C-alpha cells in the first residue's frame, strides 16, 4: 500500500492483527498465513491499482497537472462541487 491509496496504515494494522486471529482459529501458522493472503489479496490488489491510477493526481508531474488538481480541490469546496463529489462518491 502507498500514500496514494490512503490505506497503508490501516492495512498495516489489519495485516498484523488478522494473522493473530487466524492462528487462534487454525492453530497452524502456514494455514493461517494462507487464509490471510486469500482474504487480503483482493483488497490490496484493488487499492494498489487505484493508487497507480491516481498517483498523477496526487503528485503532478507538470504545472498543468498541479493546476488541475488545485482547481478540482477548490471546486469540491463549493456547494455545487460538494454536491457533485457526494454524488460521485456514493
Amino acid at each position: 500500500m502507498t500514500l496514494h491509496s490512503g490505506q497503508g496504515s490501516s492495512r498495516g494494522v489489519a495485516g498484523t492483527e488478522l494473522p493473530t486471529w487466524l492462528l487462534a482459529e487454525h492453530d497452524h501458522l502456514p494455514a493461517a498465513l494462507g487464509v490471510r493472503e486469500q482474504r487480503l489479496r483482493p483488497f490490496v490488489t484493488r487499492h494498489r491499482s487505484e493508487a497507480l491510477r491516481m498517483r498523477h493526481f496526487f503528485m503532478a508531474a507538470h504545472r498543468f497537472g498541479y493546476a488541475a488538481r488545485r482547481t478540482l480541490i477548490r471546486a469540491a469546496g463549493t456547494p455545487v462541487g460538494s454536491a457533485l463529489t457526494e454524488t460521485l462518491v456514493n
Side-chain angles (χ1 to χ4, degrees), residues 11-54:
R11 283 303 98 211
V13 170
T16 56
E17 183 182 35
L18 184 58
T20 304
W21 293 105
L22 293 173
L23 189 56
E25 281 179 25
H26 297 278
D27 201 29
H28 186 250
L29 183 60
L33 292 176
V35 172
R36 174 190 173 268
E37 177 71 18
Q38 288 175 337
R39 288 188 187 174
L40 290 181
R41 178 59 50 197
F43 180 85
V44 171
T45 300
R46 183 176 70 237
H47 282 279
R48 185 181 296 153
S49 297
E50 183 68 16
L52 291 173
R53 191 173 67 78
M54 294 297 294

Side-chain angles (χ1 to χ4, degrees), residues 1-9 47-48 50-52 55:
M1 306 308 316
T2 69
L3 171 66
H4 307 300
S5 67
Q7 297 292 324
S9 297
H47 282 279
R48 185 181 296 153
E50 183 68 16
L52 291 173
R55 71 178 180 245

Side-chain angles (χ1 to χ4, degrees), residues 2-5 50-70 73:
T2 69
L3 171 66
H4 307 300
S5 67
E50 183 68 16
L52 291 173
R53 191 173 67 78
M54 294 297 294
R55 71 178 180 245
H56 297 295
F57 179 76
F58 289 108
M59 297 176 63
H62 43 73
R63 289 179 188 238
F64 175 77
Y66 176 75
R69 181 187 70 198
R70 221 169 119 188
I73 291 171

